[in-house]
Amino acid sequence: MTDPTPKTTVFEYMSGLARELGAINLGQGFPEMEEPPELIAAAQRALAERSNQYPPMRGLPELRGAICDYYARTQGLDFAPDNVVVTSGGTEALAASLLALVRPGDEVVLVQPLYDAYLPLIEWAGGTAKFISLTPPDWSFPLADLAAAIGPKTRGIVLNTPNNPVGTMLGRGTLEAIGVLAQAHDLWVLCDEVWEGMVFDGTPHLSPLAVPALADRAIKIGSAGKIFSMTGWKVGWAVAAPTLAARIAGRHQFLTFTTATPLQWAVAGGFALPAQWHEHHLARYRAAKAQLVGGLEAAGFAVLPASGTWFVTLDLAASGLPADDLAVSERLVREAGVASIPVSAFYAQSPERGYLRLCFTKQPAVLDAALERLAAFRAAC
Ligand code: PMP
């Protein structure tokens, strides 16, 4: 077993370096754009007029209902509040789910590049991971590798769509094929969908819960931090069949017990906003993405296509740079004054070294300044 206490994450490291060096931080994924005033007003009203005491353990019924309505409206999913457990961010939903599902000795298949919380949580529960990897540069899903990775001790698979860091999404065909394997081997499927609301190219988001073979064996993780751009609020949830949801609630009960009551009310208020609000909110991010991608391409960088998340990926070799993401990101922050995240940090095994992640949810002037620095860096290479 690897050290169960992971080192400081690459995000902390890069943000720390950016602060120390006064670099522009396109590393860690948080928006530095106008925060939605409607959500702030809803939180202020909730603090003054609603409760500041413990809410029900599984979350305010009003919020759980609002989450169900949102998924019915946006993804055609039919859930009841009994399917939902509100947690302190998507992170706690992942923790509660993995602690509920993984038993000592269980094997879980993880798909690289992967979000950093999955592996330590599985190991804390006494499980071990088997790794498969998306295939660059289009990051296609390796179904044959998944089939080969499933063994007698395999109990589950963790998926992430849209994918952080590379922004690609799983389609129906892939999810149906995963459903066939999950049924044949009696596996659960934990799907991290925190980026579901941040899709910019019109690709419909599809949850494993929408695939009949997975409806009773999948868990969907969501986060208001991403949908409403309030990453510091840490309001998230897990959605699953009622028996699975009850098991997850059993872990949530002793992790945090509940999640900040006024922020739950504020998020419920956010879900009551009309669809046009979400379109308008997304439009600002879409413009920021177009600005960064357009500027990078004009400067000769090769940017890989991505449907969702707040990130774009640079293909280093195709950009005329060394395919060594650790070295390039270190030089970029120190010499050019722009922090990025090496995609190899999202691997536990056999990392891809040729890709860098950049976050675009910044003010236009900040993106312009970063582009100027990046262009000068590439021209000098
Ligand atoms: N999963 C993924 C893939 C993420 O990118 C993030 C946040 N960066 C999370 C989970 C955590 O979400 P939250 O902030 O709601 O805990």
Side-chain angles (χ1 to χ4, degrees):
M1 188 166 141
T2 54
D3 178 356
T5 311
K7 306 187 294 279
T8 306
T9 67
V10 66
F11 313 103
E12 285 280 314
Y13 171 71
M14 269 297 163
S15 288
L17 260 185
R19 272 193 301 276
E20 189 187 312
L21 302 168
I24 298 173
N25 192 355
L26 303 189
Q28 199 168 14
F30 59 92
E32 287 172 297
M33 298 172 73
E34 194 205 356
E35 288 169 351
E38 299 83 352
L39 272 285
I40 293 175
Q44 284 168 335
R45 275 199 308 277
L47 278 164
E49 296 165 19
R50 300 280 192 179
S51 167
N52 291 289
Q53 305 307 327
Y54 293 129
M57 186 269 281
R58 276 177 167 229
L60 291 173
E62 290 80 355
L63 175 57
R64 291 157 66 207
I67 291 167
C68 297
D69 291 346
Y70 174 73
Y71 285 141
R73 223 168 46 232
T74 57
Q75 295 175 31
L77 294 168
D78 182 18
F79 300 132
D82 261 8
N83 294 103
V84 183
V85 183
V86 175
T87 57
S88 297
T91 306
E92 199 225 338
L94 289 167
S97 303
L98 288 167
L99 292 174
L101 293 166
V102 179
R103 296 274 165 278
D106 286 358
E107 242 170 49
V108 179
V109 180
L110 293 181
V111 187
Q112 304 186 110
L114 55 87
Y115 187 61
D116 58 359
Y118 310 149
L119 179 58
L121 289 169
I122 288 165
E123 291 183 339
W124 292 345
T128 55
K130 271 209 173 165
F131 299 98
I132 59 173
S133 298
L134 302 178
T135 314
D138 62 353
W139 310 102
S140 53
F141 192 92
L143 280 168
D145 294 352
L146 173 62
I150 296 169
K153 292 188 189 161
T154 309
R155 297 287 173 269
I157 310 167
V158 180
L159 301 175
N160 174 209
T161 183
N163 178 279
N164 177 10
V166 294
T168 52
M169 296 169 75
L170 298 175
R172 183 172 292 279
T174 303
L175 288 175
E176 282 175 351
I178 293 171
V180 170
L181 287 170
Q183 265 187 332
H185 298 278
D186 193 18
L187 309 177
W188 48 260
V189 173
L190 177 62
C191 193
D192 181 344
E193 301 174 40
V194 299
W195 294 104
E196 61 198 339
M198 289 293 130
V199 178
F200 302 101
D201 68 352
T203 304
H205 173 78
L206 194 67
S207 171
L209 284 172
V211 171
L214 293 171
D216 287 331
R217 53 180 74 247
I219 301 108
K220 171 182 178 65
I221 305 296
S223 172
K226 306 296 193 274
I227 294 171
F228 297 107
S229 305
M230 296 298 213
T231 60
W233 279 17
K234 300 299 284 190
V235 176
W237 50 85
V239 183
T243 45
L244 270 176
R247 284 170 63 190
I248 294 165
R251 294 298 182 268
H252 164 66
Q253 160 163 259
F254 296 130
L255 282 168
T256 57
F257 182 54
T258 56
T259 294
T261 316
L263 294 180
Q264 290 199 43
W265 280 113
V267 172
F271 279 126
L273 291 165
Q276 298 90 293
W277 182 88
H278 290 274
E279 280 157 28
H280 178 73
H281 184 64
L282 272 187
R284 292 186 310 135
Y285 286 80
R286 192 178 287 115
K289 182 175 180 178
Q291 184 188 351
L292 184 63
V293 172
L296 286 167
E297 289 179 345
F301 286 97
V303 185
L304 296 180
S307 296
T309 76
W310 293 333
F311 312 111
V312 294
T313 307
L314 291 184
D315 182 332
L316 294 175
S319 302
L321 294 167
D324 181 348
D325 62 347
L326 293 174
V328 175
S329 66
E330 197 73 24
R331 283 189 58 200
L332 266 181
V333 69
R334 291 184 188 281
E335 295 170 26
V338 178
S340 59
I341 298 289
V343 168
S344 64
F346 294 79
Y347 285 75
Q349 249 176 25
S350 318
E352 291 292 341
R353 293 255 176 237
Y355 305 93
L356 268 194
R357 191 192 82 170
L358 296 173
C359 175
F360 58 77
T361 56
K362 310 290 166 183
Q363 295 293 342
V366 174
L367 292 179
D368 274 341
L371 282 166
E372 208 173 294
R373 295 177 184 195
L374 289 164
F377 176 85
R378 185 177 173 279
C381 274

